Amino acid sequence: MILLFLIPESRRWLYNKGKHEKAQRVFPRMGGEQYAADNMCAIAEAANLNSYRAGTRNLFRGKLFRLLLLGSFIAVFQQWCGINVIFNYAQEIFIAAGYTLLKMYGNRK
């Protein structure tokens, strides 16, 4: 637990929070100055590409809303129909039916 304080912080997180100098100091410890320069450029490009901020309003528009409804329906239906019981207790159900693990999986050793 004490050694966790020696692990460097995430460079991408530092860069996105505006702590560019601190992010620049972490990279050389990992792979040298050239490695630091290359990765800082890559992070800057990725940050520019990912500048779009998605809000919760976007969940309720267009295709995303239909997918959200479908996923919610599947989750509720799965709980309602009781298939989780089969998934969780499949081994016990097959053993009670007379199967053994060797019959189910073959004679692998």
Side-chain angles (χ1 to χ4, degrees):
M1 197 66 164
I2 294 171
L3 293 176
L4 285 175
F5 293 106
L6 299 176
I7 298 174
E9 294 173 306
S10 167
R11 284 83 46 213
R12 192 171 301 274
W13 183 84
L14 288 169
Y15 188 88
N16 289 336
K17 294 298 179 186
K19 300 178 181 180
H20 304 288
E21 295 83 23
K22 196 170 182 181
Q24 183 67 36
R25 285 189 304 234
V26 173
F27 273 118
R29 289 176 34 197
M30 296 172 59
E33 293 297 326
Q34 185 60 39
Y35 178 78
D38 293 342
N39 280 295
M40 286 299 288
C41 288
I43 289 175
E45 288 176 19
N48 289 336
L49 290 175
N50 294 329
S51 62
Y52 173 74
R53 295 194 45 95
T56 54
R57 275 185 278 149
N58 292 335
L59 285 176
F60 302 106
R61 292 185 184 159
K63 288 184 179 182
L64 216 49
F65 181 66
R66 289 191 297 246
L67 289 173
L68 182 67
L69 280 178
L70 179 64
S72 299
F73 172 76
I74 289 172
V76 168
F77 184 73
Q78 182 180 1
Q79 293 294 322
W80 177 75
C81 73
I83 195 70
N84 282 348
V85 174
I86 304 299
F87 291 150
N88 292 333
Y89 295 103
Q91 184 177 357
E92 287 84 2
I93 292 169
F94 283 115
I95 289 173
Y99 289 97
T100 64
L101 291 178
L102 291 177
K103 285 182 185 176
M104 288 172 53
Y105 296 112
N107 284 329
R108 292 186 214 161
K109 292 185 179 183

